[in-house]
Amino acid sequence: MRFESKSAPALAVAGLLTAALIALSGCASDSGSSSDPETTPTATLDVVEQGFDSLDELSDYVAQSLDGVEVSLESETNPDFNQETEPERLHVHFASTEDKVKDLEATAFIVQATSRAGFDYDILVVTGVVSAGEWAYLYDRSTVEELTAGGQIDVADIWDSAEQSFDTIHR
């Protein structure tokens, strides 16, 4: 008696479909491929019109678009803060995905929102928290105002406009 499997053609088709899906999804090994995304950031963002009179209002606004948002003033979180000698730093942390384009857009979004802060701060510190550590860009309040003066902010140039940066993730 001869045994014939009726599932052999189905297995062959499933194997071909799997190979096709792997090739289409980009999971196939390609030594020439780059890990950088092929997309470009949004050209500009419109500056939000509403003002933010408190940290909670700013935090709620930013949290609508970004995950893991924490907003704080240095004077409220650092017990050693000296108001007479140190600048007031506004810290905005969020959960970064390590995607350079998304992080550029998130930074521009935060800068445009903080330009409408009705409370005092001297330096904006935007920090992306990732599994490998964190990256940060620091902006003087005057720089934030200059970047948003025309009602729009250029996304691609946002990191180049920072007074200081600490970023080993995207470089």
Side-chain angles (χ1 to χ4, degrees):
M1 182 166 131
R2 186 172 161 181
F3 178 75
E4 290 184 32
S5 172
K6 294 183 180 182
S7 63
L11 287 175
V13 170
L16 289 174
L17 286 174
T18 302
L21 287 174
I22 290 172
L24 288 174
S25 69
C27 292
S29 176
D30 181 5
S31 61
S33 69
S34 170
S35 62
D36 292 337
E38 295 296 325
T39 60
T40 56
T42 304
T44 60
L45 290 177
D46 289 332
V47 175
V48 65
E49 291 183 23
Q50 75 185 68
F52 304 103
D53 293 327
S54 70
L55 288 176
D56 289 338
E57 288 177 4
L58 177 63
S59 181
D60 289 345
Y61 176 78
V62 175
Q64 291 175 16
S65 298
L66 301 174
D67 292 330
V69 173
E70 293 180 27
V71 178
S72 64
L73 287 169
E74 183 98 12
S75 62
E76 295 177 359
T77 58
N78 181 356
D80 297 326
F81 181 77
N82 184 339
Q83 279 185 310
E84 294 177 16
T85 60
E86 295 182 69
E88 179 68 86
R89 291 178 195 87
L90 172 60
H91 294 272
V92 181
H93 301 276
F94 71 97
S96 167
T97 61
E98 297 183 50
D99 180 315
K100 184 176 181 177
V101 171
K102 289 180 182 177
D103 289 343
L104 274 168
E105 291 172 342
T107 304
F109 175 73
I110 291 167
V111 169
Q112 64 85 23
T114 58
S115 72
R116 299 297 187 231
F119 50 88
D120 289 332
Y121 74 91
D122 300 307
I123 297 172
L124 168 63
V125 182
V126 178
T127 305
V129 180
V130 298
S131 61
E134 63 184 32
W135 53 264
Y137 288 84
L138 285 69
Y139 302 88
D140 287 336
R141 185 161 190 154
S142 60
T143 301
V144 170
E145 291 169 1
E146 288 173 20
L147 289 170
T148 59
Q152 291 186 327
I153 187 167
D154 292 324
V155 175
D157 298 330
I158 193 67
W159 287 345
D160 293 336
S161 300
E163 275 73 30
Q164 289 183 322
S165 66
F166 309 95
D167 189 347
T168 58
I169 306 298
H170 300 105
R171 294 183 186 157

